[in-house]
Amino acid sequence: MSSDKKRSYEASFPQQQQQEEDEDKKQLEDLSRFPPKFEELAEAYPSFRQFVRYDRKGRPCIEFKDPAAVRMLNWCLLKHHFSLDVTFPHDRLCPPVPGRLAYIRWIEDILKETMPPSSEPVHGIDIGVGASCIYPLLGCARNPKWHFLGTEIDEASMNYAKENVEWNQLQDRISLRLNKDPSRIFMLEDTRKYAFCMCNPPFYESKEEVDEGLENKELEPSSICTGSTNEMITPGGELQFIGQIINESLEYKDQIMWYTSLIGLKKTIKPITQKLKANNITNYVVTSFCQGKTTRWAIAWSFGSVRINDAQSIDEYHPKSQFTLQVAKSADYVRQQVEFILSDLRITFQDQPIRGAPRANTWSRAARRQLKKKQKIQEEDTPLFFFQMEIEEGTKDDGCHLTCKWTKGENRDAFESFWNHVKKRVEEACDISRGSSYNG
C-alpha cells in the first residue's frame, strides 16, 4: 500500500486506527508481564518456527536452555514489536526482552509522575550497555524524545553495541563511551542534566556464587549459557556495585534526577536501602518485576523533593509518602469535611483533586491557640510540603476511601503531623473513635 493510500485509509477510519493503536499498546503491556506468543511469532517469522515445541498440555514453548532459540526469540520480539534489528553475539548475554521492557516501562512511569511534560529531549544514561545495547534501543524505540549516553567497560561488547546502534540508525540519539577506568562508574564530561540513569549490574562476586545461583534458579535461562565474566561477576557483587553508584550519586546529586538500578538478588535490597538512609537519602522506591518463575527488583532514588506515589513500588521498602483512611460515609460528605478542615486551617487548596502547599504549620496546638485568638501565624517563604487528596467511593458497605499523598517537599514530620490532624478530625466528623495516632 502506498503512503498516500495508507494516509487516506487511516483518515477514513480514525476509530479503527485508534483501536489498532490501543491493541498494539496492550500487546506491549502484555509482553512485559506474560510469556510471548510463540505461535504468533512462528507464523510471522519462519526462522523461529523450528524452535517452537509443545508441552504435555499442548501449549507452545521453546527450550530456554538452547542459546540459539533464546537469541531467535528475542530477535523476533524486538523486530515484531519495536521494528528493531538486533544482533546477539554468541559469547555475550542475550537479554530477555520482556524483563528489559518492564524496567523501561517503570522508568517511564517514574518520569511521567515526577517530570512536567516538555517538548525538550529527555536524556538518560545506561551504565554497561552490553553487546546488545538493549536499554537504549528499547528506550528510544518507545520514546521519540529520549536520548542515551551508554557506557561499557568491555571493548568487544562496545563494538557490538555500536554496530547495533548504527544498524538501527539511532546514532544521532545514542552515544556510546568506553570506560577505561573500572574504579569509576559515571563518565559525565559536561554539565548536562540527565532525567535518569539505569543499570543491570553483574549480580555475583565469584564463580562459586554463580554456580550457587544456578542451583537456586536465580539466573535467567538465557544467562546460563552465554554470559561473559564481566557481565556476571564483579568484586563485591551487585551490593558493592550499586553501593558505588550511591557513592558517586552523592557527588553528582541533582545532575541526574533519578538514579536507578536493577537488583538480581533479594538479599541485596535491605543493605542498599540502609546505605541510602545512612547517607540521608530518603526519597527512594523499590519495585519488582516477575517474568514466569524469575523475579527481579529495581531501586530508584533522587536528591530532588518530588515524591513517587503512583509508579509501581513495594510498600515494605518504600518510605511512607501516602496514607489512606476508610470511613463509612459518602465521598461527598467526606469531601465537604476535608474542605472545611483545610479552610479552617487557612490552607489554600485546589479542588478535583484536592491539592495544596501549606506555608505554615497551622494544625499544631500552639498554632490553633493563635488562630483562636485571631493572631497572625508567620509563613515560610517556601511551602512546608505539597499534598494531594483523593476521595473514592467504595462499595455500599465500604463507604469511601480518603488518600493523602505527599507529592513534594523535604519535611516528612510536617506532612505526617498534618495528616494526623486531618485524619483525626475526619474520624470525629464521621463518628469514628480513635485507636491510634494514625494508620498507614
Side-chain angles (χ1 to χ4, degrees), residues 26-40:
K26 184 178 185 299
Q27 285 185 3
L28 292 180
E29 290 174 349
D30 290 346
L31 177 60
S32 67
R33 294 185 174 94
F34 303 106
K37 298 178 180 179
F38 298 114
E39 287 183 319
E40 179 182 309

Side-chain angles (χ1 to χ4, degrees), residues 360 362 367 370-379:
T362 56
Q370 284 182 264
L371 289 175
K372 189 173 289 187
K373 295 177 182 179
K374 297 184 179 180
Q375 296 176 350
K376 186 175 182 179
I377 295 177
Q378 183 65 39
E379 292 188 345

Side-chain angles (χ1 to χ4, degrees), residues 108 110-122 145 257:
E108 291 172 352
I110 289 175
L111 298 187
K112 182 179 179 181
E113 184 176 354
T114 59
M115 286 184 65
S118 173
S119 60
E120 298 298 319
V122 173
K145 295 180 183 179
M257 183 176 180

Side-chain angles (χ1 to χ4, degrees), residues 192-313:
R192 166 175 283 159
K193 295 281 188 177
Y194 292 88
F196 65 92
C197 72
M198 60 191 309
C199 179
N200 181 18
F203 297 157
Y204 303 99
E205 60 178 323
S206 67
K207 179 64 167 62
E208 290 72 25
E209 196 175 11
V210 173
D211 294 337
E212 183 181 339
L214 285 170
E215 293 175 5
N216 296 332
K217 297 183 180 179
E218 291 173 338
L219 280 171
E220 293 158 329
S222 58
S223 300
I224 294 174
C225 302
T226 60
S228 67
T229 300
N230 282 337
E231 292 172 307
M232 300 174 68
I233 299 173
T234 187
E238 66 178 3
L239 177 58
Q240 183 170 316
F241 195 96
I242 301 172
Q244 180 63 22
I245 297 178
I246 295 175
N247 291 339
E248 293 190 24
S249 76
L250 294 169
E251 175 185 344
Y252 292 105
K253 291 195 173 180
D254 292 331
Q255 190 170 351
I256 301 173
M257 183 176 180
W258 286 103
Y259 297 83
T260 81
S261 177
L262 205 64
I263 298 174
L265 308 173
K266 190 175 183 179
K267 65 182 181 180
T268 302
I269 300 174
K270 188 173 182 179
I272 285 298
T273 56
Q274 288 174 336
K275 184 175 178 66
L276 289 173
K277 287 184 280 190
N279 285 282
N280 297 316
I281 302 172
T282 61
N283 192 3
Y284 64 88
V285 63
V286 177
T287 193
S288 63
F289 311 122
C290 296
Q291 297 294 322
K293 297 179 180 180
T294 301
T295 299
R296 293 286 178 261
W297 298 266
I299 189 164
W301 67 94
S302 175
F303 293 88
S305 60
V306 180
R307 305 280 159 169
I308 294 175
N309 283 288
D310 298 328
Q312 178 184 331
S313 63

Side-chain angles (χ1 to χ4, degrees), residues 277-405:
K277 287 184 280 190
N279 285 282
N280 297 316
I281 302 172
T282 61
N283 192 3
Y284 64 88
V285 63
V286 177
T287 193
S288 63
F289 311 122
C290 296
Q291 297 294 322
K293 297 179 180 180
T294 301
T295 299
R296 293 286 178 261
W297 298 266
I299 189 164
W301 67 94
S302 175
F303 293 88
S305 60
V306 180
R307 305 280 159 169
I308 294 175
N309 283 288
D310 298 328
Q312 178 184 331
S313 63
I314 304 174
D315 288 342
E316 178 184 354
Y317 304 105
H318 187 190
K320 202 70 175 175
S321 57
Q322 70 177 45
F323 298 94
T324 299
L325 172 65
Q326 179 180 333
V327 294
K329 295 286 185 178
S330 70
D332 287 341
Y333 177 82
V334 172
R335 181 179 298 280
Q336 290 174 5
Q337 297 306 314
V338 168
E339 292 180 352
F340 171 79
I341 293 168
L342 294 178
S343 297
D344 183 55
L345 294 175
R346 312 295 195 271
I347 296 175
T348 303
F349 61 91
Q350 295 178 332
D351 203 355
Q352 304 294 344
I354 298 171
R355 289 175 294 181
R359 293 178 178 269
N361 182 339
T362 56
W363 50 89
S364 68
R365 289 184 179 180
R368 300 296 295 155
R369 286 194 292 268
Q370 284 182 264
L371 289 175
K372 189 173 289 187
K373 295 177 182 179
K374 297 184 179 180
Q375 296 176 350
K376 186 175 182 179
I377 295 177
Q378 183 65 39
E379 292 188 345
E380 301 291 336
D381 293 334
T382 58
L384 300 177
F385 57 85
F386 292 73
F387 71 87
Q388 176 173 307
M389 291 186 181
E390 298 170 358
I391 304 170
E392 296 182 353
E393 200 77 64
T395 63
K396 184 177 180 181
D397 297 328
D398 286 344
C400 74
H401 298 83
L402 166 64
T403 299
C404 183
K405 298 180 179 181

Side-chain angles (χ1 to χ4, degrees), residues 111 116-124 139-148 173 195-196:
L111 298 187
S118 173
S119 60
E120 298 298 319
V122 173
H123 292 273
C140 289
R142 284 177 57 84
N143 302 279
K145 295 180 183 179
W146 281 22
H147 293 247
F148 270 90
R173 296 170 59 196
F196 65 92

